[in-house]
Amino acid sequence: MRDIQGQPDHRRINIRKVGIKNISYPVKVLDRARRSQRTVATVNMYVNLPHHFKGTHMSRFVEILNRFHGEIDLESFPRILEEMKQRLQAEAAHLEIEFPYFVSEDPQTGRPTAAGPDGIGLSEYRCRMHGSLADRDELTLEIRIPIAPPKAPVHCSGLPRSLGHWGYAEIALQFRRFVWIEEIIELAAAVTRHDVCWPSPDQPAGGDPDADRGECALAVENLAKALGRKLKQHPDIRCFSVRVENLAAGFNTFATINHTAPKNHD
Amino acid sequence: MRDIQGQPDHRRINIRKVGIKNISYPVKVLDRARRSQRTVATVNMYVNLPHHFKGTHMSRFVEILNRFHGEIDLESFPRILEEMKQRLQAEAAHLEIEFPYFVSEDPQTGRPTAAGPDGIGLSEYRCRMHGSLADRDELTLEIRIPIAPPKAPVHCSGLPRSLGHWGYAEIALQFRRFVWIEEIIELAAAVTRHDVCWPSPDQPAGGDPDADRGECALAVENLAKALGRKLKQHPDIRCFSVRVENLAAGFNTFATINHTAPKNHD
Amino acid sequence: MRDIQGQPDHRRINIRKVGIKNISYPVKVLDRARRSQRTVATVNMYVNLPHHFKGTHMSRFVEILNRFHGEIDLESFPRILEEMKQRLQAEAAHLEIEFPYFVSEDPQTGRPTAAGPDGIGLSEYRCRMHGSLADRDELTLEIRIPIAPPKAPVHCSGLPRSLGHWGYAEIALQFRRFVWIEEIIELAAAVTRHDVCWPSPDQPAGGDPDADRGECALAVENLAKALGRKLKQHPDIRCFSVRVENLAAGFNTFATINHTAPKNHD
Amino acid sequence: MRDIQGQPDHRRINIRKVGIKNISYPVKVLDRARRSQRTVATVNMYVNLPHHFKGTHMSRFVEILNRFHGEIDLESFPRILEEMKQRLQAEAAHLEIEFPYFVSEDPQTGRPTAAGPDGIGLSEYRCRMHGSLADRDELTLEIRIPIAPPKAPVHCSGLPRSLGHWGYAEIALQFRRFVWIEEIIELAAAVTRHDVCWPSPDQPAGGDPDADRGECALAVENLAKALGRKLKQHPDIRCFSVRVENLAAGFNTFATINHTAPKNHD
């Protein structure tokens, strides 16, 4: 038996985290083309408590959120965390928001563009920001980017039709210096359009092993690696992980890679 | 056999509806306190096609949506439907949007209030609008209203704590004249707080059958009926349905009522 | 105003349906190859009540379910409904079960097969049965069938890879005489593999308008119609609806058709 | 810059995990009362690959699953993992299954019981097993246990009614020696019924601070700690975590605790 002295070791079963989750809340996030964008987030707020704590004023989480009126951005994130840590007398504070982010895209090039004339399409990207503050603060940004083979769509009875939903890449990263969401989207688009080779009718998949441009993108492993190579070259990205998932009818396949920050270069 | 003349009856297996669904899109909806509110909707657009149709230009749905830039409200709804019906040469057009709607509420009274000083809470209501246009247009508004027993929250170790999630009422209605979302929320709050009797510690549930104020609200049937009585008195509501659902750990219970518009009063 | 005599018209706001939903329950369903198959269903049970009813013994629904021990099949369905109708003194009774159904399939032909030697794959089909009993009983069976272009999978780095998830067909039907789930699956497989024309590398989509075998299947409209033609020829199917949905990254497209039973042939 | 020698450091962006997920599959799991229970699982299978790997035969995952015919239990888990590790030449193999597990319970005491006469209720518990094999194998079992205040249900119009869905506890653990799922359920039931004090009408919540039996269970923190104390005393449980979540209309509150195995006692 572990508790040989007859004294329960209360330190090892203390509350680790306590908080609130799944609050739906309107937020305003930074937008490269339009300065800011209003969207709706699902918010989680929680703290790590010191061991002597009895219970938490759960309503304080909501009070803090209301005080900031949904003005949640890279500037307010650390201030909200600081207030949570202080008012709840916590060892660490955490704030997670998940939201759809909309980007106006040029339908020809697929590149983000300023919201413009009629007919410019909006693409949705699911994003997530997780900030935490213990001794120092840390912010992780996650973006889910849909992946589609970069072909002209197949035409059927004269109308363009979808070959189905290929899947997506989920990129999580921490910055050295600020990076726009749009920049990550462009980086991923460049990789899926130019740096990997999708199989084509004329050239069977994997049939050109000497090709410079890389491996067949249909393999989740190849696409994850290609994204990793590009993210690694970005000077403002400190560390990242990539998860590529390919959908099929019976099950999905996936591959993940991680790139941790080297200790001595940071 | 049915097709006795050897001629397949193609009229009976024609396409009935064709369209697109699950587009995530930022929208602006009418808000009583602030004129308009930006939120994010899930949009479905579809049409009923005449029988000779071969196929539809699916991309036209998105083009129409983009043309309106998410300015979707009671004014633009019929115009979008009109454009869908015309450009897709349809017999009928349908537009459905589902979105979270946020209302500033006075934490004391639970009543909608103007967005005000710090600390005013926001409550989320899931809403859905379904507009259709065939010979004439029709708009149905649905609101999901969380229901909680109208007691002071239980205190535990000195802090207020939840007894759990009781459930919600889902109200769908068609207007005679415009009705604010906030008005339906207030109507439902009045019913759940005053028109039905929740069981209390001092007075066992259902123990006072002579009480004027109505039956025990814990029964989904009673709450549905009480909401129905109130909605029926509203002069601007033409017809409605109410669905009350009570959550439990193993299964939910529910009751629905319908009130169709009398033909001769409309 | 409607209630001109000052007497509330209670008939029009009576409870329409009351019941329980989302019970998870193990069930046993008929299986062509193995006689019966154990799976897990989500169960809804509800009744239409006569207008003078005050409230229902919700626990009776679960008691009835427990009495049948999950032996839910085409034989017990009407007996369960009969018991619900009687014990709850209802005008009509409804039982809905939704469950994954597994079929052993020959990986070469994709046809259902007896569960056999090692390595035989299992495919999952989401099914739903909705039985109702008022004056007479009625049973609707729904099957969701994943659709994939019937090509050899693309090879990538020498390994087969998915082009993504194309979508599915959702077929709902009522029988004249009993039809196996497997039969509907085979019928749909025959249509998607042989009766419609998928675009191929050698022959551009829609490029062969004279082809006997039908229209390009990439269009949800064409696939829905082709399935409808086949279902209409089946002598044991009384009426049906088909919904075909094609998945894409930003939104899905869909088409539905309905075939109602001709009154005089049934 | 990191890549100072001009040689990309491929070690840091290698594939970490590759596999398949979300396969629905019938499985047979151990059941204390009935020896085994057939249910339906969602299965994920993945491996950690050594750095020189190009790509994986994804179909091998399914082949291995099919070879075991869904006979997935504590005995076959390590054998499946061994086969995955060998056939995919992996550094580590992972198998996750998530499934509903049904327990016959005496409606009076709420204790698991042998499946018996008519009318014995079935309760559903969501379970998850995660096995991994690198140098040695490890198995984590997770159980989600619904929590309800241990009162007699409130009666309303003479019929028992729910106060709503309070929430659940999610217990994850690793064994020293085999522990039945039923045992964990009983342990949790004992805690929520006897070891914590729920507020009652007669005695306001938290109003009896000297009570031996513990703190007011409405606080997620208190319930998490009470569960932790009990799990810690179990001789066959090596380490665990507990997550208690309380549902409310606008947001949920939660608390987690962790108990890691002391290094020297294991």
Side-chain angles (χ1 to χ4, degrees), chain B residues 111-146:
Chain B
R111 296 185 58 135
T113 178
D118 281 4
I120 283 297
L122 283 182
S123 293
E124 181 208 15
Y125 297 89
R126 301 291 315 179
C127 295
R128 197 168 154 275
M129 289 168 76
H130 175 179
S132 62
L133 172 65
D135 303 326
R136 60 195 196 84
D137 61 359
E138 225 174 50
L139 185 76
T140 304
L141 173 66
E142 266 181 57
I143 312 174
R144 170 180 280 221
I145 299 174

Short mmCIF file of all heavy atoms in Angstrom, two decimals, chain B residues 111-146:
data_model
loop_
_atom_site.label_atom_id
_atom_site.label_comp_id
_atom_site.label_asym_id
_atom_site.label_seq_id
_atom_site.Cartn_x
_atom_site.Cartn_y
_atom_site.Cartn_z
N ARG B 111 -34.34 39.69 -18.23
CA ARG B 111 -35.00 40.28 -19.39
C ARG B 111 -33.97 40.87 -20.35
O ARG B 111 -32.97 41.44 -19.92
CB ARG B 111 -35.95 41.39 -18.95
CG ARG B 111 -37.08 40.87 -18.09
CD ARG B 111 -38.04 41.99 -17.80
NE ARG B 111 -38.55 42.54 -19.05
CZ ARG B 111 -39.83 42.82 -19.27
NH1 ARG B 111 -40.72 42.61 -18.33
NH2 ARG B 111 -40.21 43.32 -20.42
N PRO B 112 -34.26 40.79 -21.64
CA PRO B 112 -33.38 41.43 -22.61
C PRO B 112 -33.21 42.90 -22.28
O PRO B 112 -34.14 43.56 -21.82
CB PRO B 112 -34.12 41.24 -23.94
CG PRO B 112 -34.96 40.03 -23.74
CD PRO B 112 -35.35 40.05 -22.29
N THR B 113 -32.05 43.43 -22.49
CA THR B 113 -31.76 44.80 -22.14
C THR B 113 -30.78 45.35 -23.17
O THR B 113 -30.16 44.61 -23.92
CB THR B 113 -31.14 44.88 -20.73
OG1 THR B 113 -30.84 46.23 -20.46
CG2 THR B 113 -29.86 44.07 -20.63
N ALA B 114 -30.66 46.65 -23.22
CA ALA B 114 -29.67 47.22 -24.13
C ALA B 114 -28.28 46.83 -23.65
O ALA B 114 -28.03 46.74 -22.45
CB ALA B 114 -29.81 48.74 -24.15
N ALA B 115 -27.39 46.57 -24.60
CA ALA B 115 -26.01 46.26 -24.23
C ALA B 115 -25.48 47.45 -23.46
O ALA B 115 -25.54 48.58 -23.94
CB ALA B 115 -25.18 46.02 -25.48
N GLY B 116 -25.00 47.24 -22.28
CA GLY B 116 -24.70 48.39 -21.47
C GLY B 116 -23.36 48.33 -20.82
O GLY B 116 -22.36 48.04 -21.47
N PRO B 117 -23.35 48.63 -19.56
CA PRO B 117 -22.09 48.75 -18.84
C PRO B 117 -21.40 47.40 -18.71
O PRO B 117 -21.95 46.37 -19.05
CB PRO B 117 -22.54 49.26 -17.47
CG PRO B 117 -23.96 48.79 -17.33
CD PRO B 117 -24.52 48.77 -18.72
N ASP B 118 -20.21 47.46 -18.20
CA ASP B 118 -19.44 46.23 -17.97
C ASP B 118 -20.24 45.20 -17.20
O ASP B 118 -21.00 45.54 -16.29
CB ASP B 118 -18.21 46.56 -17.13
CG ASP B 118 -17.13 47.17 -18.01
OD1 ASP B 118 -17.40 47.39 -19.20
OD2 ASP B 118 -16.04 47.42 -17.48
N GLY B 119 -20.05 43.99 -17.55
CA GLY B 119 -20.59 42.92 -16.72
C GLY B 119 -21.98 42.48 -17.13
O GLY B 119 -22.51 41.53 -16.59
N ILE B 120 -22.58 43.17 -18.10
CA ILE B 120 -23.87 42.69 -18.61
C ILE B 120 -23.61 41.41 -19.37
O ILE B 120 -22.77 41.36 -20.26
CB ILE B 120 -24.49 43.75 -19.54
CG1 ILE B 120 -25.11 44.87 -18.71
CG2 ILE B 120 -25.58 43.13 -20.42
CD1 ILE B 120 -26.25 44.43 -17.82
N GLY B 121 -24.36 40.38 -19.01
CA GLY B 121 -24.13 39.10 -19.64
C GLY B 121 -24.82 38.97 -20.99
O GLY B 121 -25.77 39.69 -21.29
N LEU B 122 -24.28 38.09 -21.80
CA LEU B 122 -24.89 37.80 -23.10
C LEU B 122 -25.45 36.39 -23.05
O LEU B 122 -24.76 35.47 -22.62
CB LEU B 122 -23.82 37.84 -24.20
CG LEU B 122 -23.36 39.19 -24.69
CD1 LEU B 122 -22.34 39.01 -25.81
CD2 LEU B 122 -24.54 40.02 -25.19
N SER B 123 -26.68 36.23 -23.48
CA SER B 123 -27.22 34.88 -23.58
C SER B 123 -27.37 34.51 -25.04
O SER B 123 -27.70 35.35 -25.87
CB SER B 123 -28.59 34.79 -22.90
OG SER B 123 -28.45 34.97 -21.52
N GLU B 124 -27.11 33.25 -25.34
CA GLU B 124 -27.17 32.78 -26.72
C GLU B 124 -28.48 32.05 -26.97
O GLU B 124 -28.90 31.22 -26.16
CB GLU B 124 -26.00 31.81 -26.96
CG GLU B 124 -25.96 31.29 -28.38
CD GLU B 124 -25.34 29.91 -28.50
OE1 GLU B 124 -25.19 29.21 -27.47
OE2 GLU B 124 -25.01 29.53 -29.63
N TYR B 125 -29.12 32.36 -28.08
CA TYR B 125 -30.30 31.64 -28.52
C TYR B 125 -30.05 31.14 -29.94
O TYR B 125 -29.69 31.93 -30.81
CB TYR B 125 -31.53 32.57 -28.50
CG TYR B 125 -31.85 33.04 -27.10
CD1 TYR B 125 -31.27 34.20 -26.59
CD2 TYR B 125 -32.69 32.31 -26.28
CE1 TYR B 125 -31.53 34.62 -25.29
CE2 TYR B 125 -32.96 32.72 -24.99
CZ TYR B 125 -32.38 33.88 -24.50
OH TYR B 125 -32.63 34.28 -23.21
N ARG B 126 -30.23 29.84 -30.16
CA ARG B 126 -30.09 29.31 -31.51
C ARG B 126 -31.36 29.67 -32.29
O ARG B 126 -32.47 29.36 -31.84
CB ARG B 126 -29.96 27.78 -31.51
CG ARG B 126 -28.79 27.23 -30.74
CD ARG B 126 -27.43 27.49 -31.32
NE ARG B 126 -27.33 27.26 -32.75
CZ ARG B 126 -26.22 27.46 -33.45
NH1 ARG B 126 -25.12 27.92 -32.85
NH2 ARG B 126 -26.19 27.26 -34.74
N CYS B 127 -31.19 30.29 -33.43
CA CYS B 127 -32.35 30.67 -34.25
C CYS B 127 -32.23 30.05 -35.63
O CYS B 127 -31.14 29.69 -36.08
CB CYS B 127 -32.43 32.19 -34.40
SG CYS B 127 -32.73 33.02 -32.84
N ARG B 128 -33.35 29.99 -36.30
CA ARG B 128 -33.39 29.45 -37.65
C ARG B 128 -34.49 30.18 -38.41
O ARG B 128 -35.57 30.41 -37.88
CB ARG B 128 -33.73 27.95 -37.57
CG ARG B 128 -33.42 27.19 -38.80
CD ARG B 128 -33.50 25.68 -38.52
NE ARG B 128 -33.81 24.98 -39.76
CZ ARG B 128 -35.05 24.81 -40.24
NH1 ARG B 128 -36.09 25.23 -39.57
NH2 ARG B 128 -35.22 24.20 -41.40
N MET B 129 -34.17 30.61 -39.62
CA MET B 129 -35.19 31.21 -40.46
C MET B 129 -35.28 30.37 -41.73
O MET B 129 -34.27 30.04 -42.34
CB MET B 129 -34.81 32.64 -40.81
CG MET B 129 -34.92 33.58 -39.62
SD MET B 129 -34.14 35.19 -39.95
CE MET B 129 -35.37 35.95 -41.02
N HIS B 130 -36.50 30.03 -42.09
CA HIS B 130 -36.71 29.28 -43.31
C HIS B 130 -37.69 30.06 -44.17
O HIS B 130 -38.87 30.18 -43.82
CB HIS B 130 -37.26 27.88 -42.99
CG HIS B 130 -37.60 27.08 -44.21
ND1 HIS B 130 -38.08 25.80 -44.17
CD2 HIS B 130 -37.51 27.39 -45.53
CE1 HIS B 130 -38.29 25.37 -45.40
NE2 HIS B 130 -37.97 26.31 -46.25
N GLY B 131 -37.19 30.59 -45.28
CA GLY B 131 -38.04 31.30 -46.21
C GLY B 131 -38.27 30.47 -47.44
O GLY B 131 -37.37 29.79 -47.91
N SER B 132 -39.49 30.52 -47.98
CA SER B 132 -39.72 29.84 -49.24
C SER B 132 -40.60 30.69 -50.13
O SER B 132 -41.38 31.53 -49.66
CB SER B 132 -40.34 28.46 -49.01
OG SER B 132 -41.58 28.60 -48.40
N LEU B 133 -40.42 30.52 -51.40
CA LEU B 133 -41.17 31.31 -52.37
C LEU B 133 -41.65 30.39 -53.49
O LEU B 133 -40.83 29.84 -54.23
CB LEU B 133 -40.28 32.41 -52.97
CG LEU B 133 -40.86 33.20 -54.14
CD1 LEU B 133 -42.06 34.01 -53.72
CD2 LEU B 133 -39.78 34.09 -54.75
N ALA B 134 -42.96 30.21 -53.56
CA ALA B 134 -43.52 29.49 -54.70
C ALA B 134 -44.45 30.50 -55.37
O ALA B 134 -43.98 31.41 -56.05
CB ALA B 134 -44.26 28.25 -54.23
N ASP B 135 -45.76 30.37 -55.17
CA ASP B 135 -46.67 31.40 -55.65
C ASP B 135 -46.59 32.63 -54.74
O ASP B 135 -46.61 33.76 -55.18
CB ASP B 135 -48.10 30.86 -55.67
CG ASP B 135 -48.17 29.62 -56.53
OD1 ASP B 135 -47.43 29.57 -57.54
OD2 ASP B 135 -48.93 28.70 -56.19
N ARG B 136 -46.53 32.34 -53.42
CA ARG B 136 -46.35 33.45 -52.49
C ARG B 136 -45.22 33.07 -51.54
O ARG B 136 -44.80 31.92 -51.48
CB ARG B 136 -47.65 33.71 -51.72
CG ARG B 136 -48.13 32.52 -50.92
CD ARG B 136 -49.60 32.69 -50.48
NE ARG B 136 -49.91 31.76 -49.42
CZ ARG B 136 -49.65 31.96 -48.12
NH1 ARG B 136 -49.08 33.08 -47.71
NH2 ARG B 136 -49.96 31.05 -47.23
N ASP B 137 -44.69 34.04 -50.83
CA ASP B 137 -43.57 33.69 -49.95
C ASP B 137 -44.05 33.48 -48.52
O ASP B 137 -45.11 33.94 -48.11
CB ASP B 137 -42.42 34.70 -50.03
CG ASP B 137 -42.85 36.08 -49.61
OD1 ASP B 137 -44.04 36.26 -49.28
OD2 ASP B 137 -42.00 36.98 -49.64
N GLU B 138 -43.26 32.75 -47.79
CA GLU B 138 -43.60 32.32 -46.45
C GLU B 138 -42.32 32.31 -45.64
O GLU B 138 -41.28 31.88 -46.14
CB GLU B 138 -44.13 30.88 -46.54
CG GLU B 138 -45.36 30.66 -45.72
CD GLU B 138 -45.92 29.27 -45.98
OE1 GLU B 138 -45.15 28.29 -45.91
OE2 GLU B 138 -47.13 29.18 -46.26
N LEU B 139 -42.40 32.77 -44.41
CA LEU B 139 -41.20 32.78 -43.56
C LEU B 139 -41.54 32.16 -42.22
O LEU B 139 -42.50 32.56 -41.56
CB LEU B 139 -40.70 34.21 -43.35
CG LEU B 139 -39.39 34.31 -42.60
CD1 LEU B 139 -38.22 33.94 -43.50
CD2 LEU B 139 -39.21 35.70 -42.03
N THR B 140 -40.73 31.17 -41.84
CA THR B 140 -40.89 30.56 -40.52
C THR B 140 -39.66 30.90 -39.69
O THR B 140 -38.53 30.77 -40.16
CB THR B 140 -41.03 29.03 -40.64
OG1 THR B 140 -42.13 28.75 -41.50
CG2 THR B 140 -41.27 28.40 -39.28
N LEU B 141 -39.89 31.34 -38.47
CA LEU B 141 -38.81 31.66 -37.54
C LEU B 141 -38.84 30.65 -36.42
O LEU B 141 -39.90 30.37 -35.86
CB LEU B 141 -39.03 33.07 -36.97
CG LEU B 141 -38.10 33.52 -35.86
CD1 LEU B 141 -36.67 33.65 -36.35
CD2 LEU B 141 -38.58 34.85 -35.28
N GLU B 142 -37.67 30.09 -36.11
CA GLU B 142 -37.58 29.14 -35.00
C GLU B 142 -36.59 29.64 -33.97
O GLU B 142 -35.50 30.11 -34.33
CB GLU B 142 -37.05 27.80 -35.50
CG GLU B 142 -38.08 26.79 -35.88
CD GLU B 142 -37.41 25.51 -36.34
OE1 GLU B 142 -36.62 24.92 -35.59
OE2 GLU B 142 -37.68 25.14 -37.50
N ILE B 143 -36.92 29.51 -32.69
CA ILE B 143 -36.01 29.93 -31.62
C ILE B 143 -35.92 28.83 -30.59
O ILE B 143 -36.96 28.29 -30.18
CB ILE B 143 -36.51 31.22 -30.92
CG1 ILE B 143 -36.91 32.27 -31.96
CG2 ILE B 143 -35.48 31.77 -29.97
CD1 ILE B 143 -37.55 33.49 -31.36
N ARG B 144 -34.72 28.50 -30.21
CA ARG B 144 -34.52 27.51 -29.14
C ARG B 144 -34.22 28.26 -27.85
O ARG B 144 -33.22 28.99 -27.77
CB ARG B 144 -33.37 26.58 -29.51
CG ARG B 144 -32.94 25.68 -28.36
CD ARG B 144 -31.79 24.77 -28.74
NE ARG B 144 -32.29 23.65 -29.48
CZ ARG B 144 -31.86 22.38 -29.33
NH1 ARG B 144 -30.91 22.10 -28.46
NH2 ARG B 144 -32.35 21.41 -30.04
N ILE B 145 -35.07 28.10 -26.87
CA ILE B 145 -34.95 28.86 -25.62
C ILE B 145 -34.63 27.93 -24.47
O ILE B 145 -35.43 27.04 -24.14
CB ILE B 145 -36.27 29.63 -25.35
CG1 ILE B 145 -36.52 30.61 -26.51
CG2 ILE B 145 -36.21 30.35 -24.01
CD1 ILE B 145 -37.85 31.32 -26.44
N PRO B 146 -33.44 28.08 -23.86
CA PRO B 146 -33.11 27.23 -22.71
C PRO B 146 -34.09 27.48 -21.57
O PRO B 146 -34.51 28.63 -21.33
CB PRO B 146 -31.71 27.69 -22.31
CG PRO B 146 -31.19 28.47 -23.47
CD PRO B 146 -32.38 29.05 -24.15
#
